[in-house]
Amino acid sequence: MSHFRRRYGASPLHLLLVLCSFALALYAGVRLLKGDAWGVAIWFVGAALLHDLVLLPLYSVTDRVMQYVLRPSGGPSTRTPLMSVNYLRVPLFVSALLLLVWWPLILRQVSHFTVATALSADVFLGRWLVITAILFAASALCLLLRARAATRPARRAARAQRAGRKAAK
Amino acid sequence: MLGLILLFGITILFVTGLLSYAAYNPDLARINDETPDKGLLGFYLFSWPTSPYWLYRLTQGVHVTLGIVLIPVLLAKLWSVIPKLFEWPPARSLSHGLERLSLLLLVGGAGFEFVTGILNIQLHYIFPGSFYVLHYYGAWVFMGAFVVHVTFRLRRALRAVRPRGTSPVPQETLGLVSPNPAAPTISRRGALGLVGLGSAALLVVTVGQSVGGWFRKTAVLAPHGQEPGSGPNGFQINKTAASVGIRASDIGPAWRLSVRNGSRQAILTQQQLLALPQFESALPIQCVEGWSTTDQLWSGVRLIDLAALVGLGTNPPKVLIESAQRGGAFSSAVLRDNQVRDGRSLLALQVNGATLSQDHGYPARIMVPGAPGVHNTKWVTRLSFGEQA
């Protein structure tokens, strides 16, 4: 047993399970590839790489650019946490996610949609833009409220000072 | 955490997907089966029941809506394991190499299933082949790798969500912790919250098309979030008369329904059908694409009464339904005997008190409780009882 483990790298059960799954994949895969074998193979491998090689670089670069643009003005020595980037990141993420799922309708790619369903194909782009606008507006409102809450002690002190001065007069 | 959500979610997707295949009664007739080469993969098939009548509406609504809601979870899972892609050496041992090959089937299979599903519900048929073939066999390739992955990783996933202190997780050994991390810009809880927010947003703009009624308005980005019209016939349409080549002459005064049982045949006009005893059934329309309507009140002739016209008693056999529509995979379908014998199964002539509109199958359409929408054949011209197809 330990000899097998040394040569293979895991228990015989591991090998058995993997081979079972490959047998199933082969049985279904032969049927999957029966028509346009190349097309299906490209779609399958493409689907495996879609996130890692397309989406990830795209959102990573966007996120880095946002962080760079929003970097604290105090220079690299500043201790301010970089959390403010999230006021941009959250609405952008949700908006991009909705586009990622519903792009064929939003970008009017389905020419036969109205003929088939008797529903308008022209509403989706406008609706997505309105949702995006609402998301950014809500985020801006949160940022505003947070900023006011953060400066409240200072404002209260200033008000008290003014009131004090008035009373002294 | 993400892994455990996917474990539950994908299991539900797989089960509801298999149920959807069974709902077509593919083993009953060749024309019901979109994947006739299935072989052993159809081992689980059973007669699709007519009760509860909302069963397929529920299972398919869950299948499509849950699939959409899980997309951010799947993306976050892929994001969290990205360092594994650059693992070096690519295979430390034979077992490790096989496991990585299995991961290609896992990740490729997941992406393939989600992408084909999302495109199909938007009628964007750009994938290389029949949706049914790709989505069904792709699911089996994916699920084999999924079971392997769950078996190898379940213990680790459970350890990761156990309350801290009981068993510390040596995260560093997993190779997913950066040796040189950048300043944090979001907490772990915040990142998970972002994924949850994404799922919630997708749920809100989608689920209304499956709930129907007032909630349909909320499905602002889903394909069936609008109403096609108002009045008795103003509910959702899968394929309009124009889109499947129905001509005025097909459904005009010359239209006849032919009912056959071997050599016995009855030919009926629309007026003759209306003169037969009329029955009512409150049934929804539920599509494989996940959308559905609330119950509509259909009225027409029961299928058992039509069977009796050609000499079939109280236990009629299956029936082949043929439509006037030209082409398309679902211009005909075979209904099983349990569907024919259900008293709620109608050849409907009216809906909600009005004559059927052309887009809803005028002069006559099938309505069977619990059947997928495409088996509620529209523009019916012929019923052949007991026929092989």
Side-chain angles (χ1 to χ4, degrees), chain A residues 105-106 108 110 113-114 119-125, chain B residues 226:
Chain A
L105 289 178
I106 292 173
R108 294 178 191 163
V110 191
F113 182 78
T114 302
L119 301 173
S120 168
D122 298 331
V123 298
F124 300 103
L125 178 62
Chain B
Q226 313 165 66

Side-chain angles (χ1 to χ4, degrees), chain B residues 56 71 73 88 93 116 128 144 157 175 186 210 227 242 289 296 299 307 345 349 387:
Chain B
Y56 189 66
I71 290 166
V73 184
W88 206 263
S93 62
T116 50
I186 194 165
S210 307
E227 293 294 1
E289 292 161 9
Q296 312 292 327
S299 79
S345 297
L349 305 165
E387 191 133 318

Side-chain angles (χ1 to χ4, degrees), chain B residues 22-44:
Chain B
Y24 281 73
N25 282 326
D27 53 344
L28 183 63
R30 169 66 186 83
I31 57 165
N32 284 12
D33 197 354
E34 296 296 311
T35 52
D37 302 330
K38 61 188 179 297
L40 299 173
L41 299 178
F43 70 92
Y44 70 93

Side-chain angles (χ1 to χ4, degrees), chain B residues 231-253:
Chain B
N233 276 285
F235 54 95
Q236 295 300 309
I237 299 158
N238 181 39
K239 295 281 184 291
T240 62
S243 70
V244 289
I246 295 290
R247 296 176 196 151
S249 56
D250 296 331
I251 54 177

Side-chain angles (χ1 to χ4, degrees), chain A residues 70-101:
Chain A
L70 295 178
R71 70 194 183 282
S73 48
S77 64
T78 182
R79 289 261 168 184
T80 328
L82 303 163
M83 297 288 187
S84 62
V85 72
N86 291 317
Y87 289 99
L88 213 52
R89 196 188 253 165
V90 173
L92 195 62
F93 166 77
V94 175
S95 171
L97 185 66
L98 294 177
L99 182 64
L100 179 72
V101 173

Side-chain angles (χ1 to χ4, degrees), chain B residues 53-54 56-57 284-288 291-293 368 370-374 376:
Chain B
Y53 70 91
W54 40 259
Y56 189 66
R57 186 175 180 215
I285 289 181
Q286 51 269 307
C287 185
V288 66
W291 58 266
S292 54
T293 71
V368 170
V374 287
N376 292 327

